[in-house]
Amino acid sequence: MKREENEDTLAERSGNILLAGNDDAEEADEDHFGDLDGTVQTGENGDELSKSAANDDCNRDIHMLPSSAHQPVSGDSDTYDDDGDRLISTIISPSPFPHHLAGPSSDRLRNALHRVASDPTRDTEAWSALLSEAQSSYRSLLPTLRHSESEVSDEGRKLDWIESCFGALLKHFPYASGYYTGVSEILMQQSAMPDEEEGGGEASGNIVEASSLTERQKRCERKLEWIFRFALGIEDSNNGISNKELKEGKDEDRNGKEIDLKGMCTSSVDLWLLYIRKRSRDANRAAACTGGDSNNSVRERTVAAYETALSHASFVHNNHLLWRQYLSYVKSWGETLSETDGTATDHTLQQMQKQSLRSIYQRLVSYPMTGVDQLWD
């Protein structure tokens, strides 16, 4: 029960961090780190715990978790393992950011790292502070994010450190869907091509082929697919993702028995919207390679992504966001029709649009949601 409460606390904090503007988020970073200064760990009765007692309590909680939770929280920056398919799950140490190595920020970061290492399954305040700092550090990289393509560049090491903070937290709190959304946004931006919309959405202008991706971008693509498999339980055979590791989304309990952990965050609308953006981008890239009726192919694959998302999240909190975006997408087909000259193909598309809109409206009225009347405007 305690761990479930910690999951809820982290989810709430992750949502606040992701939704805050830059100024608000920076203030939140200072506030979270400030709370960590001089904090003493106490027991249930308010008595200060000895180091050994605190570790005993921590170990009891860890033994209740999957075997992956026994791994260290942080590791040397020269020895960490990035297999290219999963998130880096050990915090890289030392941090490659200069302000983490000297000054007040370094003391607060060191304190947060010490606390999450000592009590990784319960100290949600320290985790929240650490991830808030990771978000702030990432924002500082955005102006020059695409200027360096070297795999061993200073920028690459900084991006790996940010990813490792998310990966380490999600190893212990696999239900914290807000942090899956946060790291997925970062991976989407890293894997986007220059002529694709900021944030990794649909392509604008000339569409590039996926074969021109750098090695880092390819790794980010694979990690996104792993997140979708693990958090949403989704497999996609159209993207050429290898399924050679059949235990990709599984772990083991203390007795070595397999535990299927796939699809733990299917109620996260934000994560489903990211999934749709990724599939739409994949469709645009595939169309650039195959040619033919590219618009029709992109529409089919994007609609399939929406239907997949609705099959899992049509009845969850904030489901109106998913239905609204689906309606907006289908209505956007009219922009294509307005640019055509009224051929038979255009008439077919117009009929398809009307049928799709009718189907969406007939289904959405059967679900409780916020602002359902506004969807008819």
Side-chain angles (χ1 to χ4, degrees):
M1 179 64 69
K2 180 67 175 177
R3 186 161 178 260
E4 292 178 357
E5 293 175 357
N6 289 347
E7 296 277 3
D8 294 339
T9 302
L10 276 171
E12 181 179 354
R13 289 178 175 174
S14 67
N16 291 338
I17 292 171
L18 291 171
L19 294 176
N22 287 353
D23 295 337
D24 294 338
E26 290 173 2
E27 292 177 4
D29 297 346
E30 292 297 327
D31 292 339
H32 283 303
F33 261 154
D35 291 340
L36 298 180
D37 295 335
T39 302
V40 178
Q41 189 173 5
T42 58
E44 293 181 359
N45 298 324
D47 299 328
E48 183 176 339
L49 292 176
S50 65
K51 184 177 180 63
S52 60
N55 287 339
D56 289 343
D57 286 344
C58 177
N59 290 334
R60 279 196 296 272
D61 274 4
I62 291 177
H63 285 312
M64 298 173 63
L65 299 175
S67 58
S68 61
H70 294 273
Q71 300 174 10
V73 173
S74 61
D76 193 286
S77 61
D78 295 329
T79 60
Y80 76 91
D81 180 27
D82 180 4
D83 63 10
D85 292 325
R86 295 187 176 203
L87 296 176
I88 302 170
S89 60
T90 301
I91 300 175
I92 299 171
S93 180
S95 166
F97 289 91
H99 68 282
H100 289 165
L101 305 179
S105 294
S106 65
D107 295 334
R108 293 192 293 267
L109 178 64
R110 192 179 305 111
N111 190 13
L113 289 171
H114 174 73
R115 284 178 54 174
V116 299
S118 300
D119 198 357
T121 62
R122 293 188 297 182
D123 199 339
T124 57
E125 180 184 58
W127 276 116
S128 181
L130 179 62
L131 270 292
S132 181
E133 174 62 20
Q135 288 274 356
S136 178
S137 298
Y138 179 69
R139 287 193 296 270
S140 70
L141 293 179
L142 283 177
T144 58
L145 181 59
R146 295 176 179 171
H147 292 175
S148 175
E149 297 184 358
S150 173
E151 296 300 316
V152 295
S153 67
D154 182 59
E155 181 185 85
R157 286 189 289 269
K158 290 177 180 177
L159 290 170
D160 287 343
W161 181 83
I162 293 167
E163 177 192 321
S164 71
C165 292
F166 281 93
L169 179 143
L170 291 168
K171 177 179 64 178
H172 295 287
F173 299 95
Y175 290 94
S177 59
Y179 288 107
Y180 276 118
T181 304
V183 72
S184 296
E185 285 278 7
I186 291 174
L187 294 172
M188 282 286 286
Q189 290 178 332
Q190 289 187 62
S191 58
M193 299 300 293
D195 60 349
E196 290 173 333
E197 291 182 0
E198 188 66 27
E202 296 182 4
S204 58
N206 295 325
I207 304 175
V208 297
E209 297 184 10
S211 59
S212 60
L213 296 175
T214 65
E215 286 302 316
R216 169 170 289 278
Q217 288 174 319
K218 292 177 182 178
R219 285 203 303 272
C220 291
E221 291 274 317
R222 293 196 298 271
K223 290 177 181 182
L224 278 168
E225 294 301 330
W226 177 82
I227 290 175
F228 296 147
R229 287 198 300 275
F230 186 82
L232 299 178
I234 295 299
E235 300 280 355
D236 182 43
S237 59
N238 293 325
N239 285 340
I241 302 299
S242 173
N243 292 322
K244 64 180 184 298
E245 297 186 44
L246 298 180
K247 294 172 61 178
E248 189 75 35
K250 297 184 178 181
D251 215 313
E252 297 179 353
D253 63 12
R254 296 175 62 186
N255 298 319
K257 183 179 179 181
E258 281 190 357
I259 306 173
D260 194 346
L261 298 177
K262 286 185 178 181
M264 296 185 296
C265 301
T266 54
S267 62
S268 174
V269 171
D270 290 334
L271 196 54
W272 280 115
L273 292 176
L274 266 170
Y275 166 81
I276 294 167
R277 281 170 51 197
K278 175 65 166 58
R279 291 294 174 257
S280 177
R281 189 176 73 179
D282 293 340
N284 277 284
R285 290 178 175 177
C289 298
T290 59
D293 189 358
S294 59
N295 289 333
N296 188 51
S297 174
V298 170
R299 276 193 299 271
E300 288 180 355
R301 294 184 62 176
T302 304
V303 166
Y306 275 107
E307 291 296 334
T308 298
L310 288 173
S311 68
H312 293 82
S314 58
F315 199 77
V316 301
H317 178 61
N318 284 337
N319 59 345
H320 65 286
L321 299 176
L322 187 54
W323 287 103
R324 179 183 298 158
Q325 183 166 306
Y326 193 9
L327 283 169
S328 298
Y329 173 70
V330 176
K331 289 177 180 178
S332 70
W333 298 354
E335 299 175 2
T336 303
L337 289 170
S338 63
E339 299 173 358
T340 59
D341 53 5
T343 63
T345 302
D346 301 332
H347 179 72
T348 302
L349 177 58
Q350 188 176 27
Q351 290 299 112
M352 185 186 306
Q353 182 189 39
K354 290 180 179 180
Q355 293 175 1
S356 297
L357 288 174
R358 185 182 299 113
S359 172
I360 295 171
Y361 278 118
Q362 288 174 343
R363 285 182 290 165
L364 70 84
V365 294
S366 64
Y367 296 101
M369 68 182 72
T370 302
V372 64
D373 54 326
Q374 298 176 3
L375 298 179
W376 295 84
D377 293 341

